[in-house]
Amino acid sequence: MARIAKQVQSGFMHGIKSLFAIQSVPRPLSLIVICSFFMAMPLMAGVLAGYPELGLTTCVGSLLGLYGASFTPGYRASALLKMLLPFAGAYILGLVTQQNLAASAFFLGLVAVIAIYLALYKRMRPPAGFFFIMVCCLSKTHPVALSDIPVIAGAFLAGSLMVTVAVYLHDLITVKDKPQIEAGPSQPFWQLAIAVKALVVGGTVGGSYYFASVGGIDNPYWVSITVAAILQGQRMTDFWQRSLHRATGTALGMLLATGIFAFSPSPLVLIILLFVLAFTIEMLIAKNYALACIFITPLTVILAHTASIESGADMLILARMIDVLIGAGFALVAGGVLKALPVENR
């Protein structure tokens, strides 16, 4: 018990110190500007065409572009293209199963297991498998008739494909000499340590959604998003740090979101906000996670609030902090389980 208490204290103090630490991580500014622009543009097109909900769905699909900065210049578009169908599959699977709680929780967990396993196997840099889980969660924000799913899925795919083309054109213009990529040593696809972490994380993501729904949480998908965000960490200290960052950043972000929606922003203002928020998040997320969470909160509110982008967001904002605290509790339990299991801690 004393050892666990000491570990908790050490993790908490490390988390406190990390709140004020800014990591020096270079980010490709031109690529971030382009991806942020192509994230906001679909909403403008949707508003002008009279279909703001489809515009927001296309914005969710364009989240794929946030992976672009993690790949080698010159190879970004090809990497995104390989991820396009699995990314859309995660969203569509969430749509198809959203009417049945048990199926919805099970397949959300399955998406998380596959995303986490492949991200660890491929040694992907952050955001790794997080956005695959996030889009599956966002597909559950509002009931959708089965007959409407093809149109919604098409809008999502259009957003992902559009941002992939934009990344390709960016690298075509800016990358003069593609660097050579050396093939690393081959490794077996099946690895027990990776499988254990993927199963624990996936089970916690799906289970947290199920129990949050049964418990009457208005927005249970936010609990699962929090679990996925925190469990990106590889060590127990990472779990404590991300939990503290997530809670602190979300509390401040909730105040920011409340201030934004207090003025009943017009669609034009929301379009500008989408660009500013996406740009700021991408610039900060590798440097200070707590600061990034301040801007993730209002962005998620905008993307999740597909029924009406002009009113009624108060319920989403007020429930956010409770959801995050519940999700952090689930994630820390899962972190303790991973720590206790007798497998290599990847």
Side-chain angles (χ1 to χ4, degrees), residues 161-176:
L161 185 59
M162 179 179 60
V163 78
T164 300
V165 172
V167 170
Y168 170 76
L169 294 175
H170 169 273
D171 280 9
L172 186 65
I173 296 171
T174 61
V175 179
K176 303 303 180 184

Side-chain angles (χ1 to χ4, degrees), residues 19-324:
L19 283 173
F20 306 97
I22 304 295
Q23 303 295 325
S24 178
V25 181
R27 309 294 284 174
L29 183 60
S30 58
L31 182 65
I32 291 173
V33 169
I34 288 174
C35 290
S36 301
F37 173 78
F38 279 95
M39 185 172 174
M41 191 180 71
L43 179 56
M44 178 182 293
V47 169
L48 292 176
Y51 297 99
E53 295 87 356
L54 287 179
L56 277 173
T57 300
T58 309
C59 290
V60 176
S62 68
L63 286 172
L64 182 67
L66 296 179
Y67 282 97
S70 300
F71 296 116
T72 305
Y75 298 91
R76 294 176 176 130
S78 59
L80 292 180
L81 196 60
K82 294 175 184 177
M83 298 168 66
L84 194 147
L85 288 180
F87 196 63
Y91 186 79
I92 295 169
L93 192 58
L95 288 177
V96 172
T97 60
Q98 66 171 208
Q99 301 297 333
N100 184 288
L101 177 57
S104 188
F106 174 80
F107 283 103
L108 172 59
L110 181 62
V111 166
V113 169
I114 295 172
I116 295 296
Y117 190 92
L118 291 178
L120 289 174
Y121 174 73
K122 293 289 188 179
R123 295 189 173 95
M124 290 178 63
R125 289 181 287 174
F130 172 70
F131 282 114
F132 286 81
I133 302 169
M134 181 175 174
V135 298
C136 189
C137 289
L138 289 177
S139 69
K140 307 176 186 302
T141 55
H142 296 285
V144 174
L146 287 176
S147 58
D148 294 333
I149 289 179
V151 175
I152 296 173
F156 184 92
L157 269 169
S160 297
L161 185 59
M162 179 179 60
V163 78
T164 300
V165 172
V167 170
Y168 170 76
L169 294 175
H170 169 273
D171 280 9
L172 186 65
I173 296 171
T174 61
V175 179
K176 303 303 180 184
D177 297 311
K178 292 174 62 174
Q180 295 293 325
I181 297 180
E182 297 182 3
S186 60
Q187 55 177 334
F189 180 74
W190 170 254
Q191 297 183 42
L192 179 60
I194 296 179
V196 168
K197 176 165 185 178
L199 286 171
V200 171
V201 174
T204 306
V205 169
S208 65
Y209 178 80
Y210 181 84
F211 287 113
S213 299
V214 171
I217 298 296
D218 290 328
N219 304 291
Y221 53 89
W222 268 339
V223 175
S224 300
I225 289 174
T226 299
V227 171
I230 293 173
L231 291 178
Q232 294 293 304
Q234 298 294 310
R235 302 180 305 273
M236 198 61 189
T237 52
D238 293 332
F239 298 145
W240 289 110
Q241 178 176 323
R242 281 187 170 266
S243 298
L244 183 61
H245 281 211
R246 185 76 175 175
T248 304
T250 299
L252 296 175
M254 184 175 64
L255 295 176
L256 176 60
T258 303
I260 290 172
F261 284 94
F263 292 97
S264 299
S266 66
L268 177 60
V269 173
L270 288 179
I271 292 166
I272 297 172
L273 282 172
L274 270 177
F275 172 80
V276 173
L277 292 171
F279 176 83
T280 306
I281 291 165
E282 184 61 24
M283 290 297 294
L284 291 176
I285 197 163
K287 298 182 178 181
N288 186 294
Y289 186 65
L291 287 177
C293 281
I294 295 175
F295 302 96
I296 288 173
T297 298
L299 177 73
T300 308
V301 170
I302 294 173
L303 292 178
H305 199 49
T306 54
S308 169
I309 61 174
E310 297 181 5
S311 61
D314 291 347
M315 184 179 298
L316 294 175
I317 297 169
L318 293 176
R320 176 75 173 179
M321 196 62 197
I322 296 175
D323 298 341
V324 168

